[in-house]
Amino acid sequence: MKFLYYLNVFAITLFVGCDRNKKPQETVTEQTRPNIIWLVAEDQSPQFFPMYGNQTIALPNLERLAADGVVFDNAVAPVPVCAPARSSLITGMYPTTLGTHNMRTYAPWRGDGESPYPSLGIPSYSPIVPKGVKMFPEYLRKIGYYTANGPKEDYNFEKTDAAWNESSAERHWRKRHNDQPFFTVFNFAVCHESQIWKRSKDSLYVAPDAVPVPPYFPDTPVVRHDLAVNYSNLKRLDDQIGEVIADLKEDGLYENSIIFFYGDHGGPFPRHKRALYDTGVKVPLIIKFPNNKNSGSRDDRLISFIDYAPTVLSMAGIEPPKVMQGVAQFGKFEGRNKPEYTFHTSDRFDAIYDRLRAVRNKRFKYIKSYNTDLSHALPVAYREQMPMMQELRSLYKEGKLNDEQASWLSPTKPEEELYDLEKDPFELDNLAQREEFQDTLKHFRTVLNDWIKETNDLGRIDESDLIARWVPNGEPPQLASIEMEETDGKILLSAPKPDATIVWKSPKDSIWSIYSEPLPNDRPFEAKAERIGYADSETLIFSVE
């Protein structure tokens, strides 16, 4: 049974909510290429936001953005933790296909040659991704976009120099040339998991006794305080986003820009981050289209991070590469076949391997565990710093949690879980053993198994074997030197590896440009080839006497 069989084939128009009688989107030209901005909130679930029905705290800037845009009710991350999820965003690929499915594969900040996890002997490494996979901003730069990102990268592989004009905390579209179109990513860490304990003594913008406590958490002062800290951090997030939107409006760019606001995976709490429940994989998503097209509407389509890269390229008038596993949801190259399912994975966190896989549609979620002797509540040292996590451990040990609150902390977990997301949005009632749901269970089991085979899920392979394949002798393979030919006053460059990218710059420049046409032979330059998973080729230095 082929994976494509499970795609829901239907024709739709180019913008959300448009019907067949409305005019399609105009052809994208160099003069009409849209400016695209990503506003990325770390570690947040939809359930905390006013646009998803939670009025605990006002977020005026995001609420206005939602009023000007489209709110998506079924936006998801393929992995409930940052680095693997971001590898998907930047490539349009599943982390399990890329080899970025384990948390923290590329971690050079831990020290040159030092193993991030000494007990496992795992070095910092970049997987050798499938043929043709690139960081998608490279395609934008090739047609003239100014691309800027910051301050976070964290792709689970070493970035390529072709992707960004700038990647730093100081990134801004205002650094581009004249009216150059731009793609700019603003990442906001103020609502990250770590801020629950780091800001625990900061001012609160909502009283702990005023916050709603979801049924999977006990109603205690510690839990309420941590929830209040998160709502307060969302107020800080909203203020920071307001500054970016104010800059857009000051520059006269807001109306005609495309703005994405989304979370990089689910919320910061236990049973959120690192969990395949919707609290871990479902994300808030708002897209404001040019001229506020379809403002104030909602869209319940399934949209995953693998769709973001092809969608942005399509919006810019670029046909997405065939290697991308996502679907362009909007734009010139909008796909006619929209996904009927989304797929989610969980593998190694720190030094603990716990492989889980999940498939979801609008109604049901199926979760498969390959390590039933491990608790869902893995002892991740980073998370154990959170007061709420410590509270949950203590109450579980004392037997003071009810069944719904205790199930996530149980020392074992079921091999299969099935949830009705409409009737049980918090996924507390496992239907896998119910006789009346056996056909549904078998169907989702088949869909997931077919996806695992069709996408070459590398989680089936021991990480040590993957490292031996990608980093032989402890070093990544190096690309062969680029070749140079001089003819008719021009310098022609080529890379022996066909899918490598050649970048070049003048000796005094700091930013690498993408080589796309012959260079003049009357000025010096440096050039090299690069590809994800490989060490760059030796730098070619061309001098002029």
Side-chain angles (χ1 to χ4, degrees), residues 204-238:
L204 294 178
Y205 298 110
V206 59
D209 60 4
V211 303
V213 179
Y216 46 81
F217 290 152
D219 190 345
T220 70
V222 171
V223 169
R224 283 187 169 276
H225 183 269
D226 280 3
L227 288 168
V229 171
N230 189 58
Y231 284 109
S232 300
N233 288 342
L234 290 182
K235 170 65 168 62
R236 298 177 177 103
L237 165 73
D238 190 72

PDB file of all heavy atoms in Angstrom, residues 204-238:
ATOM      1  N   LEU A 204       4.584  38.658  37.645  1.00  0.00           N
ATOM      2  CA  LEU A 204       3.541  37.878  36.987  1.00  0.00           C
ATOM      3  C   LEU A 204       2.473  38.829  36.454  1.00  0.00           C
ATOM      4  O   LEU A 204       2.061  39.775  37.149  1.00  0.00           O
ATOM      5  CB  LEU A 204       2.907  36.890  37.969  1.00  0.00           C
ATOM      6  CG  LEU A 204       3.803  35.768  38.507  1.00  0.00           C
ATOM      7  CD1 LEU A 204       3.032  34.914  39.507  1.00  0.00           C
ATOM      8  CD2 LEU A 204       4.321  34.899  37.360  1.00  0.00           C
ATOM      9  N   TYR A 205       2.023  38.575  35.232  1.00  0.00           N
ATOM     10  CA  TYR A 205       0.979  39.398  34.622  1.00  0.00           C
ATOM     11  C   TYR A 205      -0.395  38.761  34.742  1.00  0.00           C
ATOM     12  O   TYR A 205      -1.378  39.309  34.243  1.00  0.00           O
ATOM     13  CB  TYR A 205       1.321  39.669  33.161  1.00  0.00           C
ATOM     14  CG  TYR A 205       2.600  40.443  33.003  1.00  0.00           C
ATOM     15  CD1 TYR A 205       3.740  39.855  32.483  1.00  0.00           C
ATOM     16  CD2 TYR A 205       2.675  41.783  33.383  1.00  0.00           C
ATOM     17  CE1 TYR A 205       4.925  40.566  32.355  1.00  0.00           C
ATOM     18  CE2 TYR A 205       3.846  42.504  33.256  1.00  0.00           C
ATOM     19  CZ  TYR A 205       4.972  41.889  32.739  1.00  0.00           C
ATOM     20  OH  TYR A 205       6.136  42.599  32.616  1.00  0.00           O
ATOM     21  N   VAL A 206      -0.453  37.598  35.374  1.00  0.00           N
ATOM     22  CA  VAL A 206      -1.717  36.940  35.660  1.00  0.00           C
ATOM     23  C   VAL A 206      -1.570  36.242  37.005  1.00  0.00           C
ATOM     24  O   VAL A 206      -0.506  35.696  37.325  1.00  0.00           O
ATOM     25  CB  VAL A 206      -2.097  35.933  34.546  1.00  0.00           C
ATOM     26  CG1 VAL A 206      -1.033  34.863  34.389  1.00  0.00           C
ATOM     27  CG2 VAL A 206      -3.455  35.301  34.803  1.00  0.00           C
ATOM     28  N   ALA A 207      -2.606  36.275  37.811  1.00  0.00           N
ATOM     29  CA  ALA A 207      -2.543  35.666  39.145  1.00  0.00           C
ATOM     30  C   ALA A 207      -2.611  34.150  39.032  1.00  0.00           C
ATOM     31  O   ALA A 207      -3.405  33.617  38.253  1.00  0.00           O
ATOM     32  CB  ALA A 207      -3.697  36.173  39.997  1.00  0.00           C
ATOM     33  N   PRO A 208      -1.792  33.428  39.787  1.00  0.00           N
ATOM     34  CA  PRO A 208      -1.824  31.966  39.722  1.00  0.00           C
ATOM     35  C   PRO A 208      -3.211  31.379  39.977  1.00  0.00           C
ATOM     36  O   PRO A 208      -3.578  30.367  39.366  1.00  0.00           O
ATOM     37  CB  PRO A 208      -0.830  31.549  40.816  1.00  0.00           C
ATOM     38  CG  PRO A 208       0.146  32.680  40.869  1.00  0.00           C
ATOM     39  CD  PRO A 208      -0.689  33.898  40.646  1.00  0.00           C
ATOM     40  N   ASP A 209      -4.003  32.001  40.841  1.00  0.00           N
ATOM     41  CA  ASP A 209      -5.326  31.438  41.116  1.00  0.00           C
ATOM     42  C   ASP A 209      -6.325  31.702  39.995  1.00  0.00           C
ATOM     43  O   ASP A 209      -7.460  31.217  40.041  1.00  0.00           O
ATOM     44  CB  ASP A 209      -5.877  31.950  42.454  1.00  0.00           C
ATOM     45  CG  ASP A 209      -6.037  33.463  42.500  1.00  0.00           C
ATOM     46  OD1 ASP A 209      -5.795  34.131  41.471  1.00  0.00           O
ATOM     47  OD2 ASP A 209      -6.410  33.977  43.572  1.00  0.00           O
ATOM     48  N   ALA A 210      -5.888  32.447  38.958  1.00  0.00           N
ATOM     49  CA  ALA A 210      -6.778  32.754  37.832  1.00  0.00           C
ATOM     50  C   ALA A 210      -6.513  31.875  36.611  1.00  0.00           C
ATOM     51  O   ALA A 210      -7.254  31.946  35.624  1.00  0.00           O
ATOM     52  CB  ALA A 210      -6.641  34.221  37.448  1.00  0.00           C
ATOM     53  N   VAL A 211      -5.476  31.051  36.641  1.00  0.00           N
ATOM     54  CA  VAL A 211      -5.133  30.267  35.450  1.00  0.00           C
ATOM     55  C   VAL A 211      -5.915  28.956  35.426  1.00  0.00           C
ATOM     56  O   VAL A 211      -6.161  28.355  36.481  1.00  0.00           O
ATOM     57  CB  VAL A 211      -3.614  29.965  35.384  1.00  0.00           C
ATOM     58  CG1 VAL A 211      -2.813  31.251  35.420  1.00  0.00           C
ATOM     59  CG2 VAL A 211      -3.184  29.042  36.510  1.00  0.00           C
ATOM     60  N   PRO A 212      -6.320  28.500  34.250  1.00  0.00           N
ATOM     61  CA  PRO A 212      -6.958  27.183  34.156  1.00  0.00           C
ATOM     62  C   PRO A 212      -5.911  26.085  34.264  1.00  0.00           C
ATOM     63  O   PRO A 212      -4.808  26.194  33.715  1.00  0.00           O
ATOM     64  CB  PRO A 212      -7.599  27.206  32.767  1.00  0.00           C
ATOM     65  CG  PRO A 212      -6.767  28.173  31.972  1.00  0.00           C
ATOM     66  CD  PRO A 212      -6.283  29.196  32.956  1.00  0.00           C
ATOM     67  N   VAL A 213      -6.222  25.021  34.980  1.00  0.00           N
ATOM     68  CA  VAL A 213      -5.309  23.892  35.131  1.00  0.00           C
ATOM     69  C   VAL A 213      -5.849  22.727  34.306  1.00  0.00           C
ATOM     70  O   VAL A 213      -6.954  22.247  34.579  1.00  0.00           O
ATOM     71  CB  VAL A 213      -5.175  23.471  36.606  1.00  0.00           C
ATOM     72  CG1 VAL A 213      -4.227  22.274  36.739  1.00  0.00           C
ATOM     73  CG2 VAL A 213      -4.674  24.641  37.450  1.00  0.00           C
ATOM     74  N   PRO A 214      -5.127  22.268  33.287  1.00  0.00           N
ATOM     75  CA  PRO A 214      -5.619  21.145  32.476  1.00  0.00           C
ATOM     76  C   PRO A 214      -5.731  19.883  33.313  1.00  0.00           C
ATOM     77  O   PRO A 214      -5.026  19.724  34.326  1.00  0.00           O
ATOM     78  CB  PRO A 214      -4.565  21.008  31.378  1.00  0.00           C
ATOM     79  CG  PRO A 214      -3.350  21.690  31.899  1.00  0.00           C
ATOM     80  CD  PRO A 214      -3.826  22.773  32.816  1.00  0.00           C
ATOM     81  N   PRO A 215      -6.600  18.952  32.918  1.00  0.00           N
ATOM     82  CA  PRO A 215      -6.892  17.784  33.774  1.00  0.00           C
ATOM     83  C   PRO A 215      -5.731  16.835  33.981  1.00  0.00           C
ATOM     84  O   PRO A 215      -5.759  16.050  34.931  1.00  0.00           O
ATOM     85  CB  PRO A 215      -8.046  17.096  33.032  1.00  0.00           C
ATOM     86  CG  PRO A 215      -7.937  17.568  31.620  1.00  0.00           C
ATOM     87  CD  PRO A 215      -7.428  18.965  31.699  1.00  0.00           C
ATOM     88  N   TYR A 216      -4.696  16.902  33.140  1.00  0.00           N
ATOM     89  CA  TYR A 216      -3.559  16.000  33.317  1.00  0.00           C
ATOM     90  C   TYR A 216      -2.552  16.529  34.330  1.00  0.00           C
ATOM     91  O   TYR A 216      -1.544  15.876  34.598  1.00  0.00           O
ATOM     92  CB  TYR A 216      -2.874  15.718  31.976  1.00  0.00           C
ATOM     93  CG  TYR A 216      -2.635  16.949  31.120  1.00  0.00           C
ATOM     94  CD1 TYR A 216      -1.559  17.790  31.348  1.00  0.00           C
ATOM     95  CD2 TYR A 216      -3.503  17.262  30.077  1.00  0.00           C
ATOM     96  CE1 TYR A 216      -1.347  18.913  30.577  1.00  0.00           C
ATOM     97  CE2 TYR A 216      -3.302  18.385  29.290  1.00  0.00           C
ATOM     98  CZ  TYR A 216      -2.230  19.208  29.549  1.00  0.00           C
ATOM     99  OH  TYR A 216      -2.031  20.326  28.777  1.00  0.00           O
ATOM    100  N   PHE A 217      -2.792  17.726  34.881  1.00  0.00           N
ATOM    101  CA  PHE A 217      -1.951  18.283  35.941  1.00  0.00           C
ATOM    102  C   PHE A 217      -2.756  18.368  37.239  1.00  0.00           C
ATOM    103  O   PHE A 217      -3.960  18.671  37.216  1.00  0.00           O
ATOM    104  CB  PHE A 217      -1.451  19.686  35.592  1.00  0.00           C
ATOM    105  CG  PHE A 217      -0.438  19.748  34.497  1.00  0.00           C
ATOM    106  CD1 PHE A 217      -0.338  20.882  33.698  1.00  0.00           C
ATOM    107  CD2 PHE A 217       0.434  18.699  34.253  1.00  0.00           C
ATOM    108  CE1 PHE A 217       0.612  20.966  32.683  1.00  0.00           C
ATOM    109  CE2 PHE A 217       1.376  18.761  33.237  1.00  0.00           C
ATOM    110  CZ  PHE A 217       1.461  19.901  32.445  1.00  0.00           C
ATOM    111  N   PRO A 218      -2.122  18.159  38.391  1.00  0.00           N
ATOM    112  CA  PRO A 218      -2.803  18.381  39.658  1.00  0.00           C
ATOM    113  C   PRO A 218      -2.953  19.875  39.929  1.00  0.00           C
ATOM    114  O   PRO A 218      -2.130  20.681  39.495  1.00  0.00           O
ATOM    115  CB  PRO A 218      -1.860  17.731  40.678  1.00  0.00           C
ATOM    116  CG  PRO A 218      -0.506  17.848  40.056  1.00  0.00           C
ATOM    117  CD  PRO A 218      -0.729  17.682  38.578  1.00  0.00           C
ATOM    118  N   ASP A 219      -4.000  20.230  40.618  1.00  0.00           N
ATOM    119  CA  ASP A 219      -4.255  21.633  40.939  1.00  0.00           C
ATOM    120  C   ASP A 219      -3.553  21.973  42.252  1.00  0.00           C
ATOM    121  O   ASP A 219      -4.115  21.854  43.339  1.00  0.00           O
ATOM    122  CB  ASP A 219      -5.760  21.873  41.049  1.00  0.00           C
ATOM    123  CG  ASP A 219      -6.107  23.355  41.141  1.00  0.00           C
ATOM    124  OD1 ASP A 219      -5.196  24.158  41.410  1.00  0.00           O
ATOM    125  OD2 ASP A 219      -7.278  23.702  40.948  1.00  0.00           O
ATOM    126  N   THR A 220      -2.280  22.395  42.133  1.00  0.00           N
ATOM    127  CA  THR A 220      -1.490  22.744  43.313  1.00  0.00           C
ATOM    128  C   THR A 220      -0.890  24.132  43.121  1.00  0.00           C
ATOM    129  O   THR A 220      -0.792  24.631  41.987  1.00  0.00           O
ATOM    130  CB  THR A 220      -0.339  21.743  43.542  1.00  0.00           C
ATOM    131  OG1 THR A 220       0.641  21.921  42.498  1.00  0.00           O
ATOM    132  CG2 THR A 220      -0.849  20.305  43.535  1.00  0.00           C
ATOM    133  N   PRO A 221      -0.448  24.793  44.184  1.00  0.00           N
ATOM    134  CA  PRO A 221       0.176  26.118  44.047  1.00  0.00           C
ATOM    135  C   PRO A 221       1.400  26.103  43.133  1.00  0.00           C
ATOM    136  O   PRO A 221       1.617  27.057  42.380  1.00  0.00           O
ATOM    137  CB  PRO A 221       0.550  26.470  45.491  1.00  0.00           C
ATOM    138  CG  PRO A 221      -0.448  25.739  46.327  1.00  0.00           C
ATOM    139  CD  PRO A 221      -0.666  24.442  45.610  1.00  0.00           C
ATOM    140  N   VAL A 222       2.219  25.045  43.189  1.00  0.00           N
ATOM    141  CA  VAL A 222       3.409  24.969  42.334  1.00  0.00           C
ATOM    142  C   VAL A 222       3.009  24.912  40.865  1.00  0.00           C
ATOM    143  O   VAL A 222       3.574  25.628  40.019  1.00  0.00           O
ATOM    144  CB  VAL A 222       4.274  23.749  42.712  1.00  0.00           C
ATOM    145  CG1 VAL A 222       5.386  23.542  41.676  1.00  0.00           C
ATOM    146  CG2 VAL A 222       4.874  23.930  44.095  1.00  0.00           C
ATOM    147  N   VAL A 223       2.043  24.062  40.542  1.00  0.00           N
ATOM    148  CA  VAL A 223       1.581  23.945  39.163  1.00  0.00           C
ATOM    149  C   VAL A 223       0.976  25.263  38.691  1.00  0.00           C
ATOM    150  O   VAL A 223       1.271  25.743  37.585  1.00  0.00           O
ATOM    151  CB  VAL A 223       0.570  22.787  39.030  1.00  0.00           C
ATOM    152  CG1 VAL A 223      -0.113  22.820  37.669  1.00  0.00           C
ATOM    153  CG2 VAL A 223       1.266  21.445  39.248  1.00  0.00           C
ATOM    154  N   ARG A 224       0.137  25.860  39.497  1.00  0.00           N
ATOM    155  CA  ARG A 224      -0.482  27.134  39.120  1.00  0.00           C
ATOM    156  C   ARG A 224       0.563  28.239  38.912  1.00  0.00           C
ATOM    157  O   ARG A 224       0.455  29.042  37.988  1.00  0.00           O
ATOM    158  CB  ARG A 224      -1.495  27.565  40.187  1.00  0.00           C
ATOM    159  CG  ARG A 224      -2.813  26.793  40.123  1.00  0.00           C
ATOM    160  CD  ARG A 224      -3.844  27.357  41.085  1.00  0.00           C
ATOM    161  NE  ARG A 224      -5.160  26.778  40.826  1.00  0.00           N
ATOM    162  CZ  ARG A 224      -6.012  27.216  39.908  1.00  0.00           C
ATOM    163  NH1 ARG A 224      -5.672  28.284  39.184  1.00  0.00           N
ATOM    164  NH2 ARG A 224      -7.173  26.639  39.721  1.00  0.00           N
ATOM    165  N   HIS A 225       1.579  28.249  39.762  1.00  0.00           N
ATOM    166  CA  HIS A 225       2.617  29.284  39.605  1.00  0.00           C
ATOM    167  C   HIS A 225       3.360  29.113  38.291  1.00  0.00           C
ATOM    168  O   HIS A 225       3.596  30.087  37.559  1.00  0.00           O
ATOM    169  CB  HIS A 225       3.593  29.251  40.781  1.00  0.00           C
ATOM    170  CG  HIS A 225       4.634  30.326  40.700  1.00  0.00           C
ATOM    171  ND1 HIS A 225       5.859  30.147  40.082  1.00  0.00           N
ATOM    172  CD2 HIS A 225       4.623  31.623  41.146  1.00  0.00           C
ATOM    173  CE1 HIS A 225       6.552  31.263  40.150  1.00  0.00           C
ATOM    174  NE2 HIS A 225       5.831  32.172  40.792  1.00  0.00           N
ATOM    175  N   ASP A 226       3.745  27.873  37.949  1.00  0.00           N
ATOM    176  CA  ASP A 226       4.464  27.658  36.686  1.00  0.00           C
ATOM    177  C   ASP A 226       3.594  27.997  35.484  1.00  0.00           C
ATOM    178  O   ASP A 226       4.087  28.558  34.490  1.00  0.00           O
ATOM    179  CB  ASP A 226       4.955  26.208  36.602  1.00  0.00           C
ATOM    180  CG  ASP A 226       6.234  25.974  37.400  1.00  0.00           C
ATOM    181  OD1 ASP A 226       6.703  26.932  38.055  1.00  0.00           O
ATOM    182  OD2 ASP A 226       6.760  24.841  37.373  1.00  0.00           O
ATOM    183  N   LEU A 227       2.310  27.672  35.564  1.00  0.00           N
ATOM    184  CA  LEU A 227       1.401  28.054  34.481  1.00  0.00           C
ATOM    185  C   LEU A 227       1.316  29.571  34.372  1.00  0.00           C
ATOM    186  O   LEU A 227       1.334  30.133  33.259  1.00  0.00           O
ATOM    187  CB  LEU A 227       0.014  27.466  34.730  1.00  0.00           C
ATOM    188  CG  LEU A 227      -0.129  25.950  34.534  1.00  0.00           C
ATOM    189  CD1 LEU A 227      -1.468  25.467  35.091  1.00  0.00           C
ATOM    190  CD2 LEU A 227      -0.004  25.569  33.064  1.00  0.00           C
ATOM    191  N   ALA A 228       1.252  30.261  35.496  1.00  0.00           N
ATOM    192  CA  ALA A 228       1.191  31.722  35.488  1.00  0.00           C
ATOM    193  C   ALA A 228       2.469  32.330  34.913  1.00  0.00           C
ATOM    194  O   ALA A 228       2.427  33.361  34.223  1.00  0.00           O
ATOM    195  CB  ALA A 228       0.937  32.252  36.900  1.00  0.00           C
ATOM    196  N   VAL A 229       3.609  31.713  35.192  1.00  0.00           N
ATOM    197  CA  VAL A 229       4.872  32.187  34.616  1.00  0.00           C
ATOM    198  C   VAL A 229       4.809  32.090  33.093  1.00  0.00           C
ATOM    199  O   VAL A 229       5.226  33.012  32.373  1.00  0.00           O
ATOM    200  CB  VAL A 229       6.063  31.383  35.167  1.00  0.00           C
ATOM    201  CG1 VAL A 229       7.342  31.726  34.395  1.00  0.00           C
ATOM    202  CG2 VAL A 229       6.269  31.660  36.650  1.00  0.00           C
ATOM    203  N   ASN A 230       4.274  30.989  32.582  1.00  0.00           N
ATOM    204  CA  ASN A 230       4.203  30.842  31.132  1.00  0.00           C
ATOM    205  C   ASN A 230       3.278  31.884  30.510  1.00  0.00           C
ATOM    206  O   ASN A 230       3.611  32.484  29.472  1.00  0.00           O
ATOM    207  CB  ASN A 230       3.724  29.439  30.760  1.00  0.00           C
ATOM    208  CG  ASN A 230       3.860  29.176  29.267  1.00  0.00           C
ATOM    209  OD1 ASN A 230       4.945  29.256  28.706  1.00  0.00           O
ATOM    210  ND2 ASN A 230       2.745  28.887  28.613  1.00  0.00           N
ATOM    211  N   TYR A 231       2.119  32.123  31.105  1.00  0.00           N
ATOM    212  CA  TYR A 231       1.225  33.164  30.571  1.00  0.00           C
ATOM    213  C   TYR A 231       1.913  34.528  30.608  1.00  0.00           C
ATOM    214  O   TYR A 231       1.768  35.339  29.689  1.00  0.00           O
ATOM    215  CB  TYR A 231      -0.077  33.205  31.366  1.00  0.00           C
ATOM    216  CG  TYR A 231      -1.037  32.088  31.039  1.00  0.00           C
ATOM    217  CD1 TYR A 231      -1.275  31.065  31.950  1.00  0.00           C
ATOM    218  CD2 TYR A 231      -1.698  32.050  29.812  1.00  0.00           C
ATOM    219  CE1 TYR A 231      -2.167  30.034  31.650  1.00  0.00           C
ATOM    220  CE2 TYR A 231      -2.585  31.031  29.501  1.00  0.00           C
ATOM    221  CZ  TYR A 231      -2.811  30.019  30.423  1.00  0.00           C
ATOM    222  OH  TYR A 231      -3.685  29.004  30.108  1.00  0.00           O
ATOM    223  N   SER A 232       2.681  34.770  31.649  1.00  0.00           N
ATOM    224  CA  SER A 232       3.407  36.043  31.743  1.00  0.00           C
ATOM    225  C   SER A 232       4.482  36.129  30.668  1.00  0.00           C
ATOM    226  O   SER A 232       4.714  37.209  30.097  1.00  0.00           O
ATOM    227  CB  SER A 232       4.030  36.178  33.141  1.00  0.00           C
ATOM    228  OG  SER A 232       3.025  36.139  34.138  1.00  0.00           O
ATOM    229  N   ASN A 233       5.121  35.010  30.385  1.00  0.00           N
ATOM    230  CA  ASN A 233       6.113  34.994  29.313  1.00  0.00           C
ATOM    231  C   ASN A 233       5.463  35.230  27.949  1.00  0.00           C
ATOM    232  O   ASN A 233       6.085  35.807  27.050  1.00  0.00           O
ATOM    233  CB  ASN A 233       6.872  33.673  29.321  1.00  0.00           C
ATOM    234  CG  ASN A 233       7.829  33.560  30.494  1.00  0.00           C
ATOM    235  OD1 ASN A 233       8.185  34.568  31.114  1.00  0.00           O
ATOM    236  ND2 ASN A 233       8.251  32.342  30.808  1.00  0.00           N
ATOM    237  N   LEU A 234       4.222  34.782  27.787  1.00  0.00           N
ATOM    238  CA  LEU A 234       3.515  35.051  26.537  1.00  0.00           C
ATOM    239  C   LEU A 234       3.242  36.546  26.384  1.00  0.00           C
ATOM    240  O   LEU A 234       3.265  37.070  25.269  1.00  0.00           O
ATOM    241  CB  LEU A 234       2.208  34.260  26.481  1.00  0.00           C
ATOM    242  CG  LEU A 234       2.338  32.751  26.327  1.00  0.00           C
ATOM    243  CD1 LEU A 234       0.972  32.093  26.228  1.00  0.00           C
ATOM    244  CD2 LEU A 234       3.171  32.390  25.104  1.00  0.00           C
ATOM    245  N   LYS A 235       2.982  37.226  27.492  1.00  0.00           N
ATOM    246  CA  LYS A 235       2.842  38.692  27.434  1.00  0.00           C
ATOM    247  C   LYS A 235       4.153  39.318  26.985  1.00  0.00           C
ATOM    248  O   LYS A 235       4.162  40.250  26.155  1.00  0.00           O
ATOM    249  CB  LYS A 235       2.449  39.210  28.820  1.00  0.00           C
ATOM    250  CG  LYS A 235       2.501  40.726  28.985  1.00  0.00           C
ATOM    251  CD  LYS A 235       1.471  41.432  28.112  1.00  0.00           C
ATOM    252  CE  LYS A 235       1.331  42.909  28.504  1.00  0.00           C
ATOM    253  NZ  LYS A 235       2.576  43.686  28.329  1.00  0.00           N
ATOM    254  N   ARG A 236       5.285  38.823  27.486  1.00  0.00           N
ATOM    255  CA  ARG A 236       6.581  39.336  27.054  1.00  0.00           C
ATOM    256  C   ARG A 236       6.820  39.035  25.575  1.00  0.00           C
ATOM    257  O   ARG A 236       7.358  39.864  24.828  1.00  0.00           O
ATOM    258  CB  ARG A 236       7.693  38.735  27.917  1.00  0.00           C
ATOM    259  CG  ARG A 236       7.564  39.101  29.401  1.00  0.00           C
ATOM    260  CD  ARG A 236       8.633  38.451  30.262  1.00  0.00           C
ATOM    261  NE  ARG A 236       8.500  38.879  31.654  1.00  0.00           N
ATOM    262  CZ  ARG A 236       7.971  38.153  32.634  1.00  0.00           C
ATOM    263  NH1 ARG A 236       7.555  36.905  32.375  1.00  0.00           N
ATOM    264  NH2 ARG A 236       7.873  38.626  33.855  1.00  0.00           N
ATOM    265  N   LEU A 237       6.437  37.828  25.161  1.00  0.00           N
ATOM    266  CA  LEU A 237       6.527  37.467  23.741  1.00  0.00           C
ATOM    267  C   LEU A 237       5.713  38.431  22.889  1.00  0.00           C
ATOM    268  O   LEU A 237       6.181  38.930  21.853  1.00  0.00           O
ATOM    269  CB  LEU A 237       6.025  36.035  23.548  1.00  0.00           C
ATOM    270  CG  LEU A 237       5.716  35.607  22.104  1.00  0.00           C
ATOM    271  CD1 LEU A 237       7.009  35.411  21.330  1.00  0.00           C
ATOM    272  CD2 LEU A 237       4.886  34.323  22.087  1.00  0.00           C
ATOM    273  N   ASP A 238       4.487  38.702  23.309  1.00  0.00           N
ATOM    274  CA  ASP A 238       3.602  39.582  22.543  1.00  0.00           C
ATOM    275  C   ASP A 238       4.206  40.974  22.404  1.00  0.00           C
ATOM    276  O   ASP A 238       4.127  41.596  21.335  1.00  0.00           O
ATOM    277  CB  ASP A 238       2.241  39.656  23.241  1.00  0.00           C
ATOM    278  CG  ASP A 238       1.197  40.340  22.395  1.00  0.00           C
ATOM    279  OD1 ASP A 238       0.745  39.742  21.401  1.00  0.00           O
ATOM    280  OD2 ASP A 238       0.844  41.500  22.721  1.00  0.00           O
TER     281      ASP A 238
END
